[in-house]
Amino acid sequence: MAGSIAAVGVVAGAAILAVGLAAAGSASVVGQRLASSADAGALAAADAASGAVGGIPCERAAEVAATFGARVDACALDGLIATVTVAIRFGPVAAQATARAGPPP
């Protein structure tokens, strides 16, 4: 009887550890996707501002961010420099990232 209780405890501990590691891995993936979304959105907005591609800069940023599953919370242009803030929901938390792009100084 004591052996089966210990076995159940070991299996439960392993299950809790596996769920925790899976959650940490998912958070890492969402973080990388969020950073990529911000970078790509800022680059798209800067390209549109410079005339390299057509369209309105902040709308281009929103289109690109949407392909990553993110939404643009803020988009600002200072000449040809674009600053874009995007957000993704991860469970009960809304994570944000900001990126800037433009010509070299």
Side-chain angles (χ1 to χ4, degrees), residues 16-103:
I16 291 171
L17 181 63
V19 168
L21 290 174
S26 293
S28 177
V29 169
V30 168
Q32 290 299 316
R33 191 171 75 197
L34 182 63
S36 297
S37 173
D39 289 341
L43 287 168
D47 282 348
S50 71
V53 295
I56 299 170
C58 290
E59 287 181 7
R60 297 292 296 169
E63 290 172 11
V64 171
T67 63
F68 289 89
R71 72 176 188 284
V72 173
D73 279 353
C75 178
L77 290 172
D78 182 18
L80 297 177
I81 298 173
T83 304
V84 176
T85 300
V86 297
I88 292 178
R89 289 211 54 77
F90 180 67
V93 178
Q96 285 188 332
T98 300
R100 291 173 42 122

